[in-house]
Amino acid sequence: MTPGVRPLIAGNWKMHGTLRDAAALAEAVRAGAPAVVERADLLLCPPFVHLHVVAASMAWKPVALGAQDCAAQEKGAHTGDVSAPMLADAGCGYVILGHSERRADHGETDALVRAKAAAAIAAGLVPVICVGESEAQRDAGQAEDVVAAQVAGSLPEGFAAAKGVVAYEPVWAIGTGRTPTEADIAAMHARLRREVSAGQGDATTRLLYGGSVKPGNAAAILALPNVDGALVGGASLVAADFLAIAAAVAAG
Ligand code: 13P
């Protein structure tokens, strides 16, 4: 944790479930949230078409709502895209941008991620910008430099003032059950802190770790310096697991 920074535990539901599943999961998180919101902010990021049922469940706002992507453009002839102002209008406060799955599936570049983040900020949303190296890049000793370049290329002007968030997600740790060692996470987050502070962020920018975060490893990861929360995939689809991860934030 970074002293004085409120942790954020975010669930990225990716492309899972039905409307009914989303409503039930949101309701279960909402029901358990009072026990953990003293320690951490909670954020749920369902698929676009499920945002409205989660927004309804979160009406009294113990938990924030976010989307998993937005367009770089404000409006117009962009079939299939969803704009940042639309997300704000739908009740979102946050948007995940530059997730490695979008970088891989849709060829998203740092420049596009930066443009999307600028659009998000203009719409009043908090961007959660994802960065992280591939396994080959880590094996080649390039992990920190890859992440530093992504930070330099993906964070727009105004990022610090918008309270933007950076999530470090090593690609090889996503959905695999493998995580870096605590020493490796701490080293990366120390570098991230330097790069973010030297760039568009500052010393209080929240730096999340993501990649196979589970109830069993959350306490150790969340206790590391410069780890200000988690971006959780698979475990966020089980309300009890997501809440257990949030509960693993040390009282402080
Ligand atoms: P897992 O928690 O399933 O590894 O996914 C991490 C992730 O990609 C969150 O954005």
Side-chain angles (χ1 to χ4, degrees):
M1 290 294 161
T2 303
V5 172
R6 190 167 155 77
L8 174 65
I9 306 296
N12 176 6
W13 294 0
K14 306 192 180 182
M15 195 172 70
H16 290 291
T18 63
L19 207 50
R20 186 185 289 248
D21 294 334
L25 181 52
E27 186 52 34
V29 171
R30 188 198 62 77
V36 296
V37 290
E38 303 239 316
R39 295 185 175 193
D41 291 338
L42 298 183
L43 168 63
L44 300 182
C45 300
F48 289 131
V49 292
H50 297 166
L51 284 169
H52 67 289
V53 292
V54 180
S57 192
M58 298 305 150
W60 57 277
K61 297 250 178 246
V63 183
L65 183 65
Q68 300 172 16
D69 181 44
C70 72
Q73 300 87 357
E74 190 188 337
K75 61 181 176 181
H78 302 286
T79 302
D81 285 338
V82 177
S83 74
M86 288 173 179
L87 296 177
D89 186 47
C92 290
Y94 292 76
V95 60
I96 297 169
L97 294 169
H99 192 283
S100 62
E101 288 152 14
R102 291 208 63 84
R103 292 177 187 261
D105 293 351
H106 301 280
E108 293 199 3
T109 61
D110 290 339
L112 179 61
V113 174
R114 188 176 62 231
K116 289 182 171 192
I121 291 169
L125 300 176
V126 176
V128 179
I129 297 183
C130 302
V131 296
E133 82 286 356
S134 67
E135 185 156 33
Q137 289 165 332
R138 175 157 289 268
D139 289 347
Q142 299 166 345
E144 287 192 18
D145 290 343
V146 165
V147 166
Q150 288 175 327
V151 166
S154 304
L155 275 53
E157 275 179 35
F159 186 80
K163 303 279 175 222
V165 177
V166 178
Y168 166 58
E169 299 205 310
V171 176
W172 52 273
I174 294 175
T176 60
R178 297 164 57 206
T179 59
T181 64
E182 289 165 25
D184 283 345
I185 296 173
M188 180 62 85
H189 277 246
R191 176 77 184 268
L192 255 188
R193 176 64 69 202
R194 289 199 299 278
E195 299 295 336
V196 164
S197 298
Q200 296 297 338
D202 65 25
T204 63
T205 297
R206 290 191 282 196
L207 306 180
L208 312 186
Y209 169 79
S212 297
V213 177
K214 309 283 180 215
N217 61 20
I221 292 171
L222 292 167
L224 296 170
N226 295 305
V227 176
D228 308 314
L231 181 53
V232 185
S236 73
L237 298 173
V238 178
D241 287 355
F242 183 67
L243 290 164
I245 290 167
V249 172

